[in-house]
Each structure stands twice: as structure tokens, then as C-alpha cells.
């Protein structure tokens, strides 16, 4: 929005015009500025109006506009101040005018500093909000990843429970054939001991011959204890019989 289309700008400018008219009210009435009691009170009201206009301009439109109002209104009051001091010279009056001008300039700086600090605070707040939003998003993603990991772990645990249940089944009663030693499963199928155990556990089989079977199958080479006979004893065994 253009500055000159802003209603508040023209209200502030109107207050500045009122201040200017109030300053030159004596001259507009054709009277010489006289430092009587009423004039001094009126002078104080004029300075209050001056500070109000400068402060409003700075607060609403920033440093440049506030400083511009301070400079213009100060420049407009210089001719009147010269005439007033010429007819009513007193060093305290000059000092008061200078102090009022410095106070107006200080008000411009203070209000501008306040506005800049507020702007920086808002920017910092927005930065914090962005950081919180990003952190919340990171935590949400981490939470989703954790949920997926939990689901995966539960699946693995379920598989382990099933495997453990199968392993525990081997510790129960197994129906085994008294003759061929095959085992019957839950579905009624018969299978060898090796196949059954391999199916229901992670065990694997290798084959060998026990000492009793060695003696039974190969009596010429192995004794009753399963130990291999010497060559001489193996050759004498048939003749002894």
C-alpha cells in the first residue's frame, strides 16, 4: 500500500499541521510573541504535540518517516523560536527548546529500536517455530521407523515362537513303529527318524556304525568291544572255529 494512500499517515501529517498553526498562532493573530504565563503554558502544550506527532510517525512508519517529521517540524519552528527569543531572551528558554528537540530525536531512535527489536523477536519466534516443526517431523519419521521395526521384531518373535513350538513338540510323546522305527507325524504319515527330526528341528545327520553293530556285522575284524582285531587274530579266527 502506498504511503500517500494511508489514512494514518495523513492523520499524523494533520497533527503536524495543527502543531505548526499552534506555534504561529500569535503571528496569525497579528501579535508579537510575548513570554507571559499563558504563552509559556501554550508553549509546553506545543512541545507535547510536537513529541506526539514525531512518536506516532516513527511508531507507525519507521525510522525514516519519523526522522523526516522531526526534521520538518523542527525546521518550521526555528523562525518562531528566533523571534520569541529575540523579544523574550532567556538562556533557559533556548536550552529548553534544544532539549525538546533532542528528546524528539531520542524518541525517534528509541521507538525505532523498539520496533526493530520486536521485529527480530518475531523473526526469532518464527525461526523457533520452523525448528520445532522440523524437529517434530524428524521425530514423527523416527517414530514411524520405530513402529516398523517393532512390527518386524514382533514378526520375528512370532516366527521364533513357532519354531520353538515345533522344537518342543519333539520332546513330547512320539508314536514310533516297534519294528522299523519309523515315526508317525500329526498328519498320520510315517517317516524315518532322520527325516522326522530333520523336518521338525535344525539337526542334521551323519552316519556311522556303533561298536555293537561292528561286532555283529564284521565279527572277523572287530571284537566284542568293537575294537579292531589284529591281522593275525583275524586270520586265526576261522580256523579256531
Amino acid at each position: 500500500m502506498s504511503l500517500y494512500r494511508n489514512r494514518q499517515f495523513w492523520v499524523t501529517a494533520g497533527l503536524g499541521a495543527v502543531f505548526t498553526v499552534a506555534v504561529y498562532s500569535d503571528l496569525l493573530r497579528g501579535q508579537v510573541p510575548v513570554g507571559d504565563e499563558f504563552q509559556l503554558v501554550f508553549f509546553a502544550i506545543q512541545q507535547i504535540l510536537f513529541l506526539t506527532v514525531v512518536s506516532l510517525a516513527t511508531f507507525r512508519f519507521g525510522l525514516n518517516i519519523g526522522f523526516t517529521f522531526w526534521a520538518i517540524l523542527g525546521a518550521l519552528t526555528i523562525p518562531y523560536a528566533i523571534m520569541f527569543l529575540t523579544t523574550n531572551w532567556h538562556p533557559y528558554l533556548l536550552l529548553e527548546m534544544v532539549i525538546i528537540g533532542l528528546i524528539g530525536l531520542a524518541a525517534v531512535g528509541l521507538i525505532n529500536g523498539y520496533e526493530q527489536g520486536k521485529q527480530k523477536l518475531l523473526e526469532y519466534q518464527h525461526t523457533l517455530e520452523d525448528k520445532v516443526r522440523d524437529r517434530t517431523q524428524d521425530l514423527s519419521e523416527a517414530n514411524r521407523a520405530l513402529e516398523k521395526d517393532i512390527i518386524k521384531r514382533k514378526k520375528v518373535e512370532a516366527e521364533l515362537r513357532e519354531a520353538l513350538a515345533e522344537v518342543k513338540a519333539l520332546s513330547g510323546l512320539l508314536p514310533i513303529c516297534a519294528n522299523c522305527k519309523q515315526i508317525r507325524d500329526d498328519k498320520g504319515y510315517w517317516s524315518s527318524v532322520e527325516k522326522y527330526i530333520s523336518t521338525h528341528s535344525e539337526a542334521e545327520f551323519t552316519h556311522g556304525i556303533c561298536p555293537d553293530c561292528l561286532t555283529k556285522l564284521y565279527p572277523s575284524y572287530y571284537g566284542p568291544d568293537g575294537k579292531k582285531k589284529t591281522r593275525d587274530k583275524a586270520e586265526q579266527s576261522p580256523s579256531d572255529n
Side-chain angles (χ1 to χ4, degrees):
M1 185 176 180
S2 176
L3 178 66
Y4 300 108
R5 296 181 182 178
N6 193 311
R7 181 181 299 177
Q8 297 180 8
F9 174 80
W10 291 111
V11 170
T12 307
L15 289 176
V18 171
F19 164 77
T20 304
V21 172
V23 169
Y24 288 97
S25 60
D26 291 339
L27 298 178
L28 292 175
R29 289 179 298 163
Q31 298 179 1
V32 178
V34 180
D36 56 8
E37 183 177 355
F38 172 78
Q39 184 64 30
L40 292 177
V41 174
F42 192 60
F43 176 76
I45 295 174
Q46 292 172 3
Q47 303 312 312
I48 294 175
L49 183 60
F50 166 76
L51 295 177
T52 301
V53 172
V54 171
S55 299
L56 285 176
T58 307
F59 181 78
R60 182 62 185 86
F61 304 104
L63 175 64
N64 293 333
I65 301 301
F67 182 78
T68 300
F69 269 82
W70 175 84
I72 292 174
L73 296 181
L76 290 175
T77 56
I78 289 177
Y80 180 83
I82 294 174
M83 288 185 292
F84 186 83
L85 291 174
T86 300
T87 57
N88 304 276
W89 169 250
H90 197 286
Y92 290 139
L93 291 177
L94 176 61
L95 181 61
E96 182 180 355
M97 293 180 181
V98 173
I99 291 175
I100 292 297
L102 293 177
I103 291 175
L105 184 60
V108 172
L110 290 175
I111 294 174
N112 180 70
Y114 167 78
E115 290 297 320
Q116 288 184 349
K118 184 173 69 173
Q119 184 65 28
K120 289 182 179 179
L121 182 61
L122 291 175
E123 292 177 356
Y124 182 70
Q125 181 180 357
H126 293 158
T127 301
L128 286 179
E129 291 176 354
D130 293 339
K131 289 183 178 180
V132 170
R133 189 182 304 107
D134 295 339
R135 183 58 178 167
T136 302
Q137 184 177 358
D138 293 340
L139 291 176
S140 299
E141 293 177 357
N143 188 38
R144 286 193 292 269
L146 182 60
E147 291 177 353
K148 292 180 180 179
D149 185 64
I150 292 174
I151 293 174
K152 184 178 180 180
R153 288 178 180 271
K154 288 183 178 179
K155 183 178 179 181
V156 173
E157 289 177 1
E159 293 176 353
L160 290 175
R161 290 194 190 97
E162 293 178 359
L164 182 61
E166 292 180 358
V167 172
K168 288 182 178 180
L170 296 178
S171 63
L173 296 175
L174 300 177
I176 187 171
C177 177
N179 181 41
C180 65
K181 308 304 180 184
Q182 290 193 101
I183 298 176
R184 186 185 67 198
D185 59 17
D186 297 337
K187 297 180 181 180
Y189 296 102
W190 293 87
S191 59
S192 64
V193 175
E194 296 92 335
K195 182 177 181 181
Y196 185 88
I197 294 178
S198 298
T199 302
H200 292 80
S201 69
E202 296 182 356
E204 296 181 356
F205 287 89
T206 60
H207 292 82
I209 300 177
C210 67
D212 293 338
C213 291
L214 282 174
T215 303
K216 183 179 178 180
L217 296 174
Y218 306 102
S220 301
Y221 298 95
Y222 295 93
D225 55 356
K227 293 183 178 181
K228 189 174 184 180
K229 294 180 180 180
T230 62
R231 187 171 184 179
D232 294 339
K233 290 182 178 181
E235 291 176 352
Q236 291 176 2
S237 295
S239 60
D240 292 341
N241 294 330

